[in-house]
Amino acid sequence: MNLEFNKNEDAMKLAVSQMKQRHAQVSLGGGKKAIEKAREKGKMTPRERIAYLVDKDSVFTEIGAFAGWEMYQEHGGCPAAGTVAGLGYIHGRQCVIVANDNTVKAGAWFPITGKKNLRLQEIAMENRLPVVYIVDSAGVYLPMQDEIFPDKEHFGRIFRNNAQMSAMGISQIAAVMGSCVAGGAYLPIMSDETLMVEGNGSIFLAGPYLVKAAIGEDADLQSLGGAKMHTEVSGIADYKFDTEQECLDQVRRIIDKMGEQPRAGFDRIAPSMPKKDPKDIYGLVSVDNTKAYDVVEVIERIVDNSEFDQFKEDYGKTIVCGYARIDGWAVGIVANQRKIVKSGKGEMQLGGVIYNDSADKAARFIQNCNQKKIPLVFLQDVTGFMVGTRSEQSGIIKDGAKLVNAVSNSVVPKITIVIGNSYGAGNYAMCGKAYDPRFIYAWPNAKIAVMGGEQAAKTLLQIQVAAMKSKGQEIDAEKEKEMLKVITDKYTAQTSSYYAAARLWVDEIIDPAETRRVISEGINAANHNPDIKDFKTGVFQV
């Protein structure tokens, strides 16, 4: 190992440590006081509820832990979007689990809460996974109701999805452990089975205050919508329990008795660990994403036996394509290359740029994987497509469109990991969020933006300076420097992995050492959906 490797390793481990500290902060939800107040009512935290529900010593893959990060500060924040969720195992069966966090504004729904919950339902629908809802929510956050209530991708879409998932044969179980108010009352009733905790659980369209205001009736929580009333009078709920633990035990018993469903049949053999030390992955990529490295070395720390069969190895070298296995699963890998190579013109740093030949190669490889029913893994570290007269005359737009077409129409599951930069059209071509990856994760060093920070800042500065000069304002070098710093700082903050995760452009920020595991969990989830359509690319220029 050389000095550069050691520097990278130290910086990446520091970034991972910061990520874990921030996750610990998010895990407190609304804070220690709010947690203690909930415990006085016999309530567990959402993370404790999930830990009790899932199989002991099993893996829980969290989704959206940093959703809402540093957002809504004027409203007191919304840690983890007020919802803890992810993929977990119940009696060995992989499920989507969604738990409201009542310590965050009583579990009220912010705009990002709606987006996160819809993303979890999307995961369940795409992968045909059963869903467990742990309900404890006051409903829509009223000060922001115009941003969460009426639109297509807002609160009401949840219940539309409940209905469609039921029609698809996807089992949904709702465990009501707290409030379930107004429109939110439909979620448990549109689930297959509804369980309630007596005393804390309640389901009603309007609470006591609204009932009093609307019709003048005096009613208490339990008579309006408590567990006893709904299991004995209305018949809306199916079970009632004295404790949350008893309720979750019944959820486990329900899941345990579900029949097996058909699978997609993706190829898997007995897993083997990489021969090259997976921990070396920390030292291969620089945290600032500026240094050259060989992405094949990264791949060999992720794949079984460190075996990677390259496709067209000597052609289109700015994208690496090939076949491998990850935790036993057969995969096709498409990765941007950043290493320095020797050519007739001397050394050339590839820099993650997509050229004509590499776009052409990747498009063909994606077609092959669809033909063979092999899931695709994209490792993104891309600064965009090559620009300039020579590239344009060679038809870079045509070849780029061919790659985008192949990615768009791919029918096998796609899993994307942003391991470095993700800029411009490169984000699209390498299966960014807009191209329906089943799962998309980012390393802590990831940067996602329309272009790199330095180029963007200088472009924005030129526009601002030109506008000011057109108004007759004089701009000296010192003023330009100050303006450039303000623009750069703002733009840099918007490109960070946390900014992306806060807005769910990525599902989660992960420790690079977890890359192999999250890919395997993603393919396992995708394998539950046998409905794979025929691969068609439509019309494109050749």
Side-chain angles (χ1 to χ4, degrees):
M1 301 303 173
N2 55 32
L3 180 61
E4 192 65 46
F5 179 95
N6 292 334
K7 286 181 179 179
N8 290 344
E9 183 179 43
D10 290 344
M12 188 65 80
K13 285 184 175 179
L14 187 63
V16 170
S17 176
Q18 181 190 57
M19 180 196 73
K20 290 180 178 178
Q21 289 171 10
R22 289 180 172 183
H23 189 275
Q25 178 183 336
V26 165
S27 297
L28 290 174
K32 293 181 180 179
K33 287 185 179 179
I35 291 172
E36 288 306 315
K37 187 176 179 180
R39 283 183 175 150
E40 288 172 5
K41 298 178 182 178
K43 292 186 175 185
M44 295 187 280
T45 69
R47 294 178 187 279
E48 289 170 341
R49 288 166 173 170
I50 291 172
Y52 186 92
L53 177 63
V54 300
D55 298 342
K56 304 309 175 192
D57 301 319
S58 67
V59 172
F60 180 70
T61 304
E62 188 164 0
I63 300 292
F66 292 104
W69 176 260
E70 294 186 338
M71 295 171 66
Y72 314 117
Q73 296 303 307
E74 68 277 20
H75 296 276
C78 186
T83 305
V84 181
L87 302 177
Y89 290 88
I90 301 173
H91 281 291
R93 188 183 300 271
Q94 195 177 33
C95 301
V96 171
I97 302 170
V98 185
N100 299 127
D101 189 346
N102 77 299
T103 70
V104 179
K105 292 286 192 297
W109 286 53
F110 284 69
I112 195 64
T113 313
K115 187 173 184 179
K116 180 173 176 177
N117 279 263
L118 287 172
R119 172 61 181 144
L120 270 297
Q121 288 187 322
E122 179 183 45
I123 289 171
M125 287 189 280
E126 285 184 329
N127 301 290
R128 299 293 198 276
L129 295 175
V131 186
V132 176
Y133 303 104
I134 302 177
V135 186
D136 194 345
S137 171
V140 166
Y141 182 60
L142 288 177
M144 302 186 76
Q145 64 85 26
D146 61 320
E147 297 181 48
I148 179 61
F149 170 67
D151 211 345
K152 180 179 178 180
E153 300 296 335
H154 283 179
F155 187 66
R157 189 80 170 183
I158 298 291
F159 318 124
R160 174 264 191 191
N161 286 351
N162 288 144
Q164 290 217 333
M165 291 161 72
S166 183
M168 293 165 66
I170 297 172
S171 296
Q172 300 171 81
I173 310 299
V176 181
M177 299 186 170
S179 296
C180 191
V181 184
Y186 288 106
L187 183 145
I189 311 313
M190 296 185 77
S191 298
D192 297 356
E193 298 189 60
T194 303
L195 303 81
M196 297 185 70
V197 176
E198 200 161 7
N200 286 333
S202 58
I203 305 172
F204 40 66
L205 294 179
Y209 294 118
L210 183 53
V211 167
K212 179 67 175 177
I215 63 172
E217 179 186 352
D218 291 310
D220 59 63
L221 285 171
Q222 295 306 309
S223 61
L224 264 178
K228 184 177 177 64
M229 191 280 286
H230 278 312
T231 53
E232 297 179 12
V233 181
S234 75
I236 278 175
D238 305 304
Y239 313 87
K240 71 174 186 291
F241 302 93
D242 292 330
T243 68
E244 293 189 354
Q245 289 85 349
E246 290 172 332
C247 182
L248 294 172
D249 287 340
Q250 179 62 25
V251 173
R252 286 184 55 81
R253 287 192 289 271
I254 293 170
I255 299 290
D256 182 40
K257 294 173 180 64
M258 288 183 182
E260 283 294 325
Q261 299 293 328
R263 302 296 172 100
F266 301 123
D267 188 66
R268 191 182 197 187
I269 62 173
S272 299
M273 288 298 294
K275 287 183 178 177
K276 293 189 176 181
D277 191 348
K279 292 181 181 177
D280 288 347
I281 205 166
Y282 293 120
L284 295 172
V285 179
S286 64
V287 168
D288 61 5
N289 302 340
T290 60
K291 305 293 193 304
Y293 66 92
D294 186 355
V295 75
V296 175
E297 291 290 334
V298 175
I299 292 168
E300 288 175 345
R301 269 71 181 184
I302 297 171
V303 301
D304 291 16
N305 294 316
S306 299
E307 293 176 353
F308 180 55
D309 298 325
Q310 283 204 54
F311 173 80
K312 292 186 183 290
E313 182 175 357
D314 299 320
Y315 177 76
K317 292 186 176 182
T318 64
I319 290 184
V320 169
C321 301
Y323 303 102
R325 289 188 182 275
I326 294 178
D327 198 32
W329 294 105
V331 296
I333 298 175
V334 182
N336 301 111
Q337 180 60 284
R338 293 289 302 267
K339 76 174 182 179
I340 295 173
V341 298
K342 291 183 179 180
S343 68
K345 298 178 182 179
E347 289 190 342
M348 177 180 70
Q349 182 173 337
L350 299 184
V353 180
I354 302 175
Y355 286 80
N356 300 69
D357 53 0
S358 48
D360 181 68
K361 177 175 84 171
R364 175 61 181 270
F365 180 72
I366 289 166
Q367 289 178 311
N368 283 351
C369 288
N370 277 273
Q371 182 88 341
K372 299 177 177 70
K373 208 165 82 169
I374 299 174
L376 284 159
V377 174
F378 292 84
L379 301 180
Q380 280 198 13
D381 190 353
V382 58
T383 51
F385 285 85
M386 190 60 191
V387 296
T389 305
R390 184 176 177 182
S391 288
E392 297 293 358
Q393 291 176 352
S394 298
I396 187 66
I397 299 173
K398 173 191 69 178
D399 291 318
K402 188 188 302 182
L403 176 54
V404 170
N405 195 314
V407 172
S408 301
N409 288 298
S410 178
V411 296
V412 295
K414 299 169 292 193
I415 297 173
T416 300
I417 314 289
V418 186
I419 68 173
N421 298 318
S422 180
Y423 294 153
N427 170 281
Y428 303 156
M430 291 295 294
C431 197
K433 184 64 181 288
Y435 289 78
D436 294 328
R438 293 291 179 95
F439 299 92
I440 178 169
Y441 297 99
W443 288 4
N445 58 301
K447 292 180 174 63
I448 301 174
V450 72
M451 65 176 72
E454 184 179 351
Q455 302 95 311
K458 287 180 178 178
T459 302
L460 290 168
L461 177 66
Q462 289 172 14
I463 294 169
Q464 285 193 20
V465 168
M468 293 170 76
K469 286 182 177 179
S470 70
K471 296 176 182 178
Q473 300 179 32
E474 292 295 326
I475 309 295
D476 58 24
E478 190 62 33
K479 179 64 175 176
E480 274 199 28
K481 186 177 179 181
E482 289 177 12
M483 290 171 61
L484 181 62
K485 184 179 186 308
V486 171
I487 294 169
T488 302
D489 288 348
K490 181 180 179 181
Y491 194 88
T492 300
Q494 291 178 352
T495 65
S496 79
S497 58
Y498 293 95
Y499 194 90
R503 289 152 183 81
L504 287 169
W505 301 347
V506 296
D507 290 323
E508 194 65 279
I509 302 172
I510 62 168
D511 181 338
E514 291 288 291
T515 303
R516 174 180 163 88
R517 183 186 68 78
V518 299
I519 292 172
S520 176
E521 289 297 315
I523 299 173
N524 187 33
N527 196 43
H528 286 78
N529 184 357
D531 184 18
I532 299 177
K533 300 175 183 177
D534 293 334
F535 178 60
K536 298 177 182 179
T537 56
V539 177
F540 59 85
Q541 291 182 336
V542 295

